[in-house]
Amino acid sequence: MSFEPKIIGFLCNWCSYTGADLAGTARMKYPANLMSIRVMCSGRVDPGFVLDAFRRGADGVLVCGCHPGDCHYVDGNHKCMRRMPLTRRIMKGMGIDPARLRLEWVSASEGARFREIVSEFTEQLRRMGPLELKEIEFDPALEGAHHA
Amino acid sequence: MAKVNIKIDGHPIEVEKGSFILEAAKALGISIPTLCYYPHMTPYAACRICAVEIRDGKGWSKIVTACNYPVWDGMEVLTTTPRVLNARRVNLEMLMSQCAPVPVLQELAREFGIDKPRWGTGEDTCILCGLCVRICDEVVGAHALAFSDRGIHRRVATPFDDTSSDCILCGACASVCPTGHITMEDIDQRTVIHRDLTLGPNAAISLPFRQAVPNVPRIDPQRCIHFTTGGCGICSQVCPKECIHYDDVDTFEEIEAGAVIVATGFDNFDPTPLKQYGYGRYANVITAEEFERMNNAAGPTGGHVVLENGQEPRSIAIIHCVGSRDENHHSYCSRVCCMYALKFAHLVKEKTNAEVYQLYIDLRSFGKGYEEFYQRILDEGVNVIRGRGAEVIPSGNRRKDEGPLLVQCEDTLIGRFREIPVDMVILCTALEARRDAKETGRKFNISVGADGWFIEAHPKLAPVSTSTDGIFLAGTCQGAKDIPDTVAQGGAAAAQAMKLLCLGEVLLDAAYAEIDETYCSGCRLCNDLCAYSALEFDEAKKVSRINPALCKACGTCVAACPAGAITGRHFTDDQIYAQIEGMLT
């Protein structure tokens, strides 16, 4: 049996969650690897959520929001757009491939696009294999060097 | 001020000592002809047409100029004696020996029965009344004009007969000149009649527009002579109610309101960048708004459709979609142009014998009765051409009976390139969002679309609401629309606002963000994140606060708070972490 990645998806209530819902009501099939969590806005996605998901064994995290300019909350998605690259930088420092975090814009009418994104992301994670987190030993000398 | 009693033509009147006979006569309604008198300026007695006879009642009498002769007690003034009329006639004849063709003099000559002035007729037009010099000195304060030379060579001139750098181009001299000797040269190549076609104010003091609320005039300080030079002040002198206060300043008033309806309207697209249509270059290429102004019975042309030279046009082309449905400007359809263009055609047919050509891309007569109106226009013999107007060029007067402008277009229905000679071109300019729409949107937290129109809460289900509760949209600020649609939306917005006001209280959503003040460090990171201004900083306690009535529960501030002091109700960190845990175990 091939590897089935676990993906946590944070979907904004107004565009992406509705878009995913549309994919469902339109009976489009997409991989069951994605488990969605509804947030009111992609701007609600705390980088802590993303890292916690990886800590608990997720292989990928998908954050979806309204298209830029279409945010229900004026510009919450713009804030998300700035937070995610910073989150990727933290991930890199932790030894997690930044490609495991994806930020996509899905509007309420883009059920088909949602299916495409999930299928493609699942396929990509399948190729990448399971996320293996390494225990990093705490090195007091290194800590000191940082502050020097 | 001491008062004196005088009699004019037998009518007694009490006037201020030191005032002049002409003013007293005016108060009595007795007319004395004059060419060089203007209220609020020092009388000059240059024309001497205002001659009157004064008597002291003891046999002494004298001919004086009424405009600058001060009154004294017991004075008797006679304005119609043969002696007075003779003096006026002689003075008039002497003026005519210099300036016969001047209309005001001709009229006076008819009144006095002068057929042929005794000392010949001159061809000059300046009667040296000095009004222009005095208004420039005393009222405008620019001192750009003066009398030059002496005796028979006396004339009005600018220093060294050159363009005066002191002249502020206010036109006061031209407006007071009784003979038309001084004229304003065209500065921007459009004649006065067409310049007046703009809806904007033409004078420094004017009503913004006829239906303005409040319906009171205002002063434009950039154009007002008083504000630019410190002179003039005529408006405050003539206002009988003393309503003009130059020291008035803008004041800001705070109004507590339960709802706000934003109805800021639209701007007209400026067709100048579309060089191919020649707006601004050819005087008879005008915008729809200017044509509308021309059609106004109370407008500058009295409702007549005229060319720049005052003649009736023989042919008119109406070009649709100027700036709209154009990738380079606005890709949207302005919705109102097709129908008003058809209305224009109807008006032109009604008022003139001109041939009308409509150049359209698609005729969108979508409303109730609109298609029927289109059919009626066709029956009236309007030429309707399917093809965007490509260019307007001068025809070079190939034929005398044809218009001087050539409109080039491709008639896509007959598949031919056409050149239509016309006298006038009307550009149906696009409706566009107000220049300051973004700023207004920021003020009211309304999102602004790519075209600049305000975005409603939902295009179908909430077309008058905005994403902020209690703020509603009406009219063209939300998108191009015609009058019936605007009225309907305005009514809906008013009803929505009334609903809030009648309720008297605001129901809060259960989901909103809360700040635990004990954890808030007062970093203010969250303050700028909120798109709804729901976050305020308490300077005294050095903590941020959330107004739950304004909070929309997006959670952007919750995610940003470094201290974890903000809780997003119903979407708390704990709940989301629990979901992640639940999904992955």
Side-chain angles (χ1 to χ4, degrees):
Chain A
M1 198 186 133
S2 67
F3 159 65
E4 288 297 334
K6 287 182 206 158
I7 309 172
I8 294 288
F10 294 99
L11 312 183
C12 94
N13 181 52
W14 303 99
C15 291
S16 311
Y17 198 80
T18 324
D21 204 25
L22 181 72
T25 50
R27 313 211 172 244
M28 291 175 189
K29 265 193 186 157
Y30 62 85
N33 302 54
L34 179 89
M35 288 164 282
S36 336
I37 294 176
R38 181 170 69 108
V39 286
M40 289 307 277
C41 177
S42 53
R44 173 70 181 93
V45 180
D46 192 325
F49 298 165
V50 177
L51 300 179
D52 190 61
F54 285 124
R55 185 173 72 93
R56 291 188 184 277
D59 299 300
V61 173
L62 175 68
V63 179
C64 291
C66 311
H67 283 274
D70 282 345
C71 180
H72 183 79
Y73 298 109
V74 185
D75 56 359
N77 54 359
H78 287 106
K79 273 127 199 178
C80 181
M81 208 195 291
R82 291 178 67 174
R83 275 177 195 147
M84 290 309 123
L86 296 175
T87 313
R88 284 203 191 96
R89 244 201 255 174
I90 299 171
M91 285 163 61
K92 213 170 173 182
M94 290 177 165
I96 309 171
D97 189 340
R100 288 184 186 271
L101 169 61
R102 255 181 114 153
L103 175 62
E104 293 285 351
W105 311 125
V106 177
S107 84
S109 59
E110 292 176 328
R113 180 177 151 80
F114 183 74
R115 180 184 62 176
E116 293 299 311
I117 288 167
V118 176
S119 312
E120 207 240 314
F121 192 33
T122 309
E123 207 42 57
Q124 180 196 335
L125 288 171
R126 231 178 237 144
R127 281 197 304 275
M128 288 170 83
L131 171 67
E132 279 163 18
L133 288 176
K134 282 173 213 141
E135 283 286 331
I136 299 172
E137 267 180 47
F138 178 66
D139 185 350
L142 204 67
E143 181 75 4
H146 262 293
H147 283 102
Chain B
M1 201 74 180
K3 298 274 186 184
V4 294
N5 288 295
I6 64 166
K7 269 188 192 169
I8 303 178
D9 288 343
H11 303 283
I13 185 172
E14 191 187 60
V15 288
E16 272 177 21
K17 195 179 171 189
S19 64
F20 303 115
I21 297 170
L22 192 67
E23 288 157 17
K26 223 178 186 179
L28 275 174
I30 295 168
S31 92
I32 297 173
T34 174
L35 296 171
C36 69
Y37 172 80
Y38 193 79
H40 317 298
M41 286 196 315
T42 322
Y44 195 57
C47 72
R48 313 202 77 79
I49 298 289
C50 64
V52 290
E53 183 174 354
I54 53 166
R55 292 180 182 171
D56 64 354
K58 295 172 203 157
W60 174 86
S61 78
K62 191 183 179 188
I63 292 284
V64 297
T65 44
C67 66
N68 72 338
Y69 194 85
V71 293
W72 35 262
D73 206 28
M75 174 195 270
E76 277 177 45
V77 182
L78 295 161
T79 66
T80 51
T81 60
R83 203 177 156 200
V84 167
L85 294 181
N86 191 46
R88 288 181 189 166
R89 193 177 296 123
V90 169
N91 288 337
L92 184 60
E93 278 182 279
M94 286 199 278
L95 284 176
M96 291 187 84
S97 72
Q98 290 292 317
C99 319
V102 175
V104 279
L105 295 185
Q106 291 284 348
E107 205 171 297
L108 279 173
R110 257 196 305 283
E111 239 172 78
F112 285 98
I114 301 169
D115 282 339
K116 218 174 145 216
R118 275 172 280 176
W119 303 291
T121 51
E123 290 302 311
D124 199 3
T125 50
C126 180
I127 58 165
L128 298 171
C129 66
L131 272 175
C132 50
V133 176
R134 278 179 288 147
I135 202 160
C136 197
D137 281 352
E138 295 178 22
V139 175
V140 180
H143 314 292
L145 283 169
F147 281 116
S148 161
D149 292 343
R150 288 196 289 180
I152 58 163
H153 301 296
R154 188 171 161 91
R155 65 201 165 90
V156 172
T158 52
F160 307 106
D161 289 323
D162 207 351
T163 309
S164 171
S165 58
D166 289 331
C167 176
I168 57 169
L169 298 172
C170 67
C173 50
S175 75
V176 292
C177 181
T179 65
H181 179 69
I182 299 183
T183 50
M184 290 290 281
E185 272 184 43
D186 276 343
I187 296 161
D188 57 0
Q189 294 174 346
R190 292 179 74 91
T191 59
V192 174
I193 184 169
H194 271 212
R195 204 183 306 147
D196 283 349
L197 288 179
T198 54
L199 280 175
N202 296 308
I205 181 162
S206 61
L207 275 175
F209 51 95
R210 254 157 210 277
Q211 296 82 9
V213 179
N215 205 256
V216 287
R218 55 167 194 191
I219 296 175
D220 177 359
Q222 253 93 56
R223 303 167 82 177
C224 170
I225 294 165
H226 179 77
F227 282 103
T228 46
T229 69
C232 193
I234 286 182
C235 54
S236 76
Q237 287 165 16
V238 296
C239 180
K241 302 271 185 203
E242 296 178 2
C243 296
I244 312 265
H245 307 290
Y246 296 117
D247 48 0
D248 255 7
V249 285
D250 289 349
T251 54
F252 290 90
E253 281 175 35
E254 275 190 19
I255 299 170
E256 243 175 59
V260 178
I261 298 174
V262 179
T264 47
F266 66 97
D267 273 342
N268 261 318
F269 175 75
D270 174 15
T272 324
L274 289 166
K275 293 252 187 294
Q276 66 268 37
Y277 296 138
Y279 179 75
R281 245 181 315 145
Y282 311 126
N284 288 316
V285 177
I286 61 174
T287 64
E289 192 187 25
E290 288 168 343
F291 184 75
E292 198 68 74
R293 185 93 181 98
M294 201 185 268
N295 265 304
N296 185 347
T301 62
H304 296 291
V305 178
V306 287
L307 294 170
E308 189 214 11
N309 59 14
Q311 283 177 349
E312 191 178 277
R314 292 160 299 179
S315 49
I316 297 179
I318 303 176
I319 299 180
H320 292 224
C321 301
V322 174
S324 29
R325 303 189 69 194
D326 180 343
E327 288 298 320
N328 299 318
H329 299 280
H330 301 300
S331 49
Y332 55 80
C333 163
S334 289
R335 284 191 55 174
V336 295
C337 327
C338 281
M339 288 321 290
Y340 77 57
L342 294 181
K343 182 196 78 173
F344 284 175
H346 176 69
L347 286 172
V348 170
K349 283 282 172 195
E350 202 176 64
K351 292 182 173 183
T352 70
N353 293 315
E355 201 65 39
V356 184
Y357 300 89
Q358 300 262 1
L359 285 84
Y360 68 95
I361 308 176
D362 293 297
L363 253 176
R364 297 185 166 170
S365 53
F366 54 90
K368 186 180 176 186
Y370 289 7
E371 187 64 23
E372 291 88 327
F373 187 71
Y374 171 50
Q375 289 301 331
R376 189 174 149 194
I377 295 303
L378 292 181
D379 292 343
E380 282 176 7
V382 173
N383 304 290
V384 183
I385 299 165
R386 183 163 173 269
R388 183 177 220 142
E391 200 172 359
V392 177
I393 53 168
S395 69
N397 277 336
R398 291 183 306 184
R399 281 173 52 187
K400 274 240 165 79
D401 55 335
E402 283 182 347
L405 295 170
L406 264 191
V407 179
Q408 298 182 323
C409 69
E410 187 194 348
D411 190 331
T412 56
L413 292 182
I414 58 169
R416 278 233 185 102
F417 179 76
R418 284 179 73 172
E419 284 187 329
I420 305 159
V422 291
D423 281 334
M424 181 190 268
V425 176
I426 304 169
L427 305 176
C428 298
T429 48
L431 271 58
E432 60 183 11
R434 298 277 301 187
R435 269 153 295 168
D436 54 359
K438 275 214 168 96
E439 208 179 297
T440 313
R442 242 196 317 276
K443 227 168 250 170
F444 292 99
N445 267 320
I446 309 169
S447 343
V448 178
D451 293 322
W453 307 115
F454 294 141
I455 297 177
E456 60 283 357
H458 191 281
K460 294 192 187 76
L461 302 174
V464 297
S465 312
T466 65
S467 54
T468 311
D469 286 345
I471 294 180
F472 305 103
L473 298 174
T476 47
C477 65
Q478 182 248 342
K481 57 174 69 70
D482 60 2
I483 296 170
D485 287 5
T486 302
V487 171
Q489 198 185 15
Q496 292 273 4
M498 283 309 293
K499 191 175 81 181
L500 280 183
L501 300 188
C502 294
L503 214 57
E505 52 189 28
V506 178
L507 284 176
L508 292 187
D509 206 331
Y512 57 86
E514 278 178 325
I515 293 188
D516 188 336
E517 288 179 18
T518 48
Y519 291 116
C520 178
S521 63
C523 70
R524 306 189 64 169
L525 202 68
C526 52
N527 289 196
D528 292 335
L529 285 177
C530 186
Y532 302 97
S533 327
L535 276 147
E536 283 161 3
F537 189 65
D538 185 339
E539 287 288 352
K541 285 182 119 182
K542 299 277 176 223
V543 288
S544 291
R545 283 228 176 80
I546 292 175
N547 181 345
L550 291 175
C551 177
K552 298 277 169 195
C554 67
T556 304
C557 58
V558 186
C561 183
I566 312 183
T567 314
R569 282 168 54 122
H570 296 275
F571 289 90
T572 64
D573 282 0
D574 289 346
Q575 284 173 315
I576 292 172
Y577 280 123
Q579 284 186 63
I580 298 171
E581 193 186 343
M583 283 172 175
L584 293 171
T585 44

